[in-house]
Amino acid sequence: MLPEAIPFPNLDPELFSIHIGTFTFSLRWYALAYIAGILLGWRLCVIALRDADLWPPSGPPMSRPQLDDLVTWVILGIVIGGRLGFVLFYQPEYYLQHPLEIIKVWHGGMSFHGGFLGVALAVLVFCTRQNIRLLSTADLLALATPPGLLFGRLANFINAELWGRPTELPWGVIFPGEAAQSCAQFAGPCARHPSQLYEALLEGVVLGGVMIYLAWRRGWFRTPGAMTGTFLAAYGTARSLVELVRQPDAQFVSEGNPVGYALQFGSWGLTMGQILSLPMIVTGIGLIGWARRRSSASSRGGGVSSRFGR
């Protein structure tokens, strides 16, 4: 192992713990990441809704009270969808044998793709019930999501989980734990890609900057669906690239499949993260094209409106 490898910093996953008799309450960085991501995303939405110039002539898609109600639906979608997504996509056999473990979210195990599907369903139901424009609402959430991804990935790093594959690059991190140090090709300490930080940079900082730029500098809220399509395509691409250096879940690794492909074709294959990201990329690109064509047709035709996308 290269001497330039970085030792894992002395970080405690818990900020503090309170002991009352046999009961222990702990505040963890992971929980704080969810809270901070939701609050910052909500604040971005509030600022965007106040600026009527960002939106089509029909105005912002919802009022401030409706946004506050939507946050509750989004939180439920994140938690329920994220947990069920992890159960179904990554460890279905284990949870089929231990169904009571599904509700123990404090033990860890959340899936972004599951959370995304949960939020999508929650938003669909909310918009239908409130008679709110769906695509403009989705665009608003595309702006609000990157902060949560940034804080979530930073929390993954603090928890020393979801690390990358072994590397000899000078910024490799020596993560603690027997699993992280199980690298047959290295005799000494095993350094790994800090893939959590790669994702924090790409999915949080870069994607967040792109969303802000498109909203305030390019006026893409006036083309319903374009912001959502960009988020889907960009996130799917970023996640697929990081999967090239991210250590796959142990259940996908075997003697004949050391890389951990969920779908293998000889010596080549796709990880579960890539499989789940490909539909996002295709859907995102298609949605961008559809939104821009629809906007051009609307401009030529003097304006077309609908509850779905105006």
Side-chain angles (χ1 to χ4, degrees):
M1 181 52 55
L2 293 179
E4 294 87 352
I6 302 171
F8 186 76
N10 185 21
L11 298 172
D12 191 336
E14 295 183 358
L15 278 78
F16 62 84
S17 298
I18 299 176
H19 302 276
I20 304 176
T22 59
F23 175 79
T24 300
F25 170 79
S26 300
L27 179 60
R28 302 176 65 89
W29 284 105
Y30 201 71
L32 191 62
Y34 271 83
I35 296 170
I38 291 170
L39 287 177
L40 185 52
W42 166 81
R43 188 59 188 169
L44 281 172
C45 291
V46 170
I47 296 172
L49 290 175
R50 286 176 180 171
D51 192 345
D53 293 338
L54 295 179
W55 303 94
S58 52
M62 67 184 69
S63 65
R64 169 66 182 276
Q66 287 174 320
L67 172 63
D68 294 342
D69 290 340
L70 176 60
V71 170
T72 301
W73 288 72
V74 168
I75 292 173
L76 291 174
I78 292 172
V79 176
I80 298 175
R83 183 58 171 173
L84 291 181
F86 179 81
V87 169
L88 295 175
F89 298 150
Y90 292 95
Q91 296 189 22
E93 294 182 0
Y94 172 82
Y95 286 103
L96 185 62
Q97 299 173 6
H98 307 86
L100 292 179
E101 292 290 322
I102 295 176
I103 63 175
K104 297 181 180 180
V105 294
W106 54 89
H107 287 173
M110 298 285 283
S111 161
F112 167 81
H113 295 92
F116 171 79
L117 292 175
V119 170
L121 179 59
V123 170
L124 177 61
V125 174
F126 179 82
C127 289
T128 301
R129 288 166 59 96
Q130 296 287 326
N131 196 30
I132 292 174
R133 302 194 307 271
L134 178 61
L135 281 182
S136 290
T137 301
D139 289 343
L140 188 65
L141 293 179
L143 172 70
T145 301
L149 296 176
L150 169 63
F151 292 129
R153 293 311 180 192
L154 291 177
N156 289 147
F157 180 81
I158 292 173
N159 288 346
E161 61 186 4
L162 304 182
W163 20 257
R165 296 173 184 170
T167 180
E168 293 186 350
L169 291 171
W171 58 82
V173 176
I174 303 175
F175 289 96
E178 182 179 352
Q181 288 303 308
S182 179
C183 305
Q185 63 270 50
F186 297 118
C190 174
R192 294 180 175 272
H193 285 281
S195 54
Q196 319 95 321
L197 301 184
Y198 299 167
E199 291 189 76
L201 176 63
L202 292 176
E203 302 165 8
V205 178
V206 175
L207 183 52
V210 169
M211 292 292 101
I212 291 173
Y213 173 77
L214 293 178
W216 271 275
R217 302 294 293 179
R218 304 297 297 177
W220 274 34
F221 275 140
R222 293 191 288 272
T223 305
M227 289 275 290
T228 303
T230 301
F231 174 85
L232 293 174
Y235 174 85
T237 301
R239 176 65 184 268
S240 296
L241 290 174
V242 175
E243 285 287 319
L244 297 175
V245 296
R246 177 172 162 173
Q247 182 72 15
D249 290 84
Q251 65 269 23
F252 295 116
V253 178
S254 65
E255 184 175 348
N257 182 20
V259 177
Y261 294 127
L263 186 62
Q264 189 174 16
F265 309 96
S267 60
W268 180 84
L270 296 171
T271 66
M272 180 57 73
Q274 290 171 328
I275 292 172
L276 297 174
S277 294
L278 283 176
M280 296 181 71
I281 298 173
V282 174
T283 301
I285 294 173
L287 187 55
I288 294 170
W290 175 85
R292 296 183 69 83
R293 287 194 302 271
R294 185 176 181 277
S295 178
S296 298
S298 177
S299 298
R300 292 194 301 269
V304 178
S305 65
S306 69
R307 182 181 59 135
F308 177 68
R310 71 174 181 270

